[in-house]
Amino acid sequence: GATRGGARDLTRHNTVAVATVCEAMRRSGCTARLVQVGCSSEYGPSQPGSSTAEDAIPRPGGPYGVSKLAATELVLGSGLDAVVLRVFSPVGPGTPAGSPLGRLAEAMRRAMQSGDGELKLSGLGVQRDFVDVRDVARAVHAASLSAAQGVVNIGTGRAVRLRDAAAVLAKVAGYAGALHELDTPPARLPIGAPRTSTESVIEHLSATPSPYPDGCGAWQQADVRTARDRLGWRPRINLEESLADIWMEAACRI
């Protein structure tokens, strides 16, 4: 699948590809079980303080969420032995550098390399349900062996503010500088103007066109009771361990 790009590319990679798999399974008479990896972006924004359950009405806030929701509907209507896992915010090894935590780790690495004693960041008020990718893999395995149908949320059941994750990442990284939060993205510097390392970091973190590029608003938290009851699954890896792995990968970049 794809997480970035225009509506056409997202539809091709996230919707048409799933339709092709479903059709191939139907035509071949394949009796394998299909586990579709969906995304919490299918739900769209949630009420702060609430936990989103599987019966919530999906209201995706962008083309990515729409393309994933369309794939979910295709799978649920396929007549196949299938289940959809709606994964909330996956983190840990392999976290993309363009994701919020990936950008944060990269900004911290640059600040430490340059000896910058302060890091100015924006968008840290967002709260997400971060779940380690290794726990997600365990959920996929459990779903493949279960008889569960329909949609199952995969998350931790706990929303974490990005600024709190930043503080944990600083501790893991050994970054002793100050973290300053910016309420609004700073204006871009004129072309050719000299830049301090901090200014470059600010621009790097503020490069996304929307404060919520996943279309999920300021808050998301999973109701994970279905995963517990129908898959026998619970998350095992805490956020500090996930962040340590993200930091290790960022620190190894040259």
Side-chain angles (χ1 to χ4, degrees):
T3 58
R4 296 177 181 274
R8 182 180 181 183
D9 286 338
L10 291 169
T11 300
R12 179 183 299 136
H13 292 296
N14 295 335
T15 310
V16 176
V18 173
T20 303
V21 170
C22 291
E23 181 63 17
M25 292 181 70
R26 279 195 299 266
R27 289 188 181 187
S28 67
C30 176
T31 58
R33 181 161 168 77
L34 175 62
V35 180
Q36 161 69 4
V37 181
C39 181
S40 62
S41 291
E42 297 173 45
Y43 288 122
S46 302
Q47 184 68 26
S50 68
S51 293
T52 303
E54 290 85 356
D55 60 359
I57 298 174
R59 293 187 175 89
Y64 171 67
V66 170
S67 69
K68 294 294 287 186
L69 178 60
T72 290
E73 294 300 321
L74 282 167
V75 170
L76 297 181
S78 67
L80 298 169
D81 178 18
V83 63
V84 177
L85 302 184
R86 276 198 181 134
V87 178
F88 276 63
S89 298
V91 294
T95 295
S99 69
L101 289 176
R103 292 198 307 274
L104 184 60
E106 180 67 13
M108 200 165 289
R109 180 184 71 85
R110 292 182 179 183
M112 292 178 72
Q113 284 183 336
S114 64
D116 203 333
E118 64 175 8
L119 196 55
K120 296 181 179 179
L121 309 167
S122 62
L124 296 186
V126 172
Q127 297 184 71
R128 290 290 181 266
D129 190 332
F130 297 110
V131 57
D132 192 274
V133 67
R134 290 160 291 196
D135 282 331
V136 175
R138 287 179 42 249
V140 171
H141 182 247
S144 71
L145 300 177
S146 76
Q149 302 286 324
V151 174
V152 179
N153 288 341
I154 301 299
T156 65
R158 183 174 69 95
V160 175
R161 199 178 301 272
L162 196 54
R163 73 167 64 96
D164 296 330
V168 174
L169 184 63
K171 178 182 176 182
V172 167
Y175 178 65
L179 300 177
H180 297 297
E181 184 174 359
L182 302 174
D183 293 330
T184 57
R188 293 188 180 275
L189 295 172
I191 295 175
R195 303 173 180 214
T196 67
S197 58
T198 299
E199 287 167 340
S200 297
V201 165
I202 294 171
E203 181 173 284
H204 180 66
L205 286 176
S206 304
T208 51
S210 164
Y212 313 117
D214 57 3
C216 295
W219 168 278
Q220 263 203 340
Q221 178 175 282
D223 182 328
V224 294
R225 290 175 293 180
T226 301
R228 179 195 63 202
D229 297 341
R230 296 171 65 186
L231 303 183
W233 175 90
R234 287 180 174 84
R236 295 177 181 172
I237 299 174
N238 61 41
L239 183 57
E240 184 169 352
E241 183 175 345
S242 303
L243 290 171
D245 289 319
I246 292 173
W247 173 250
M248 184 64 68
E249 291 182 347
C252 289
R253 294 192 190 105
I254 298 176

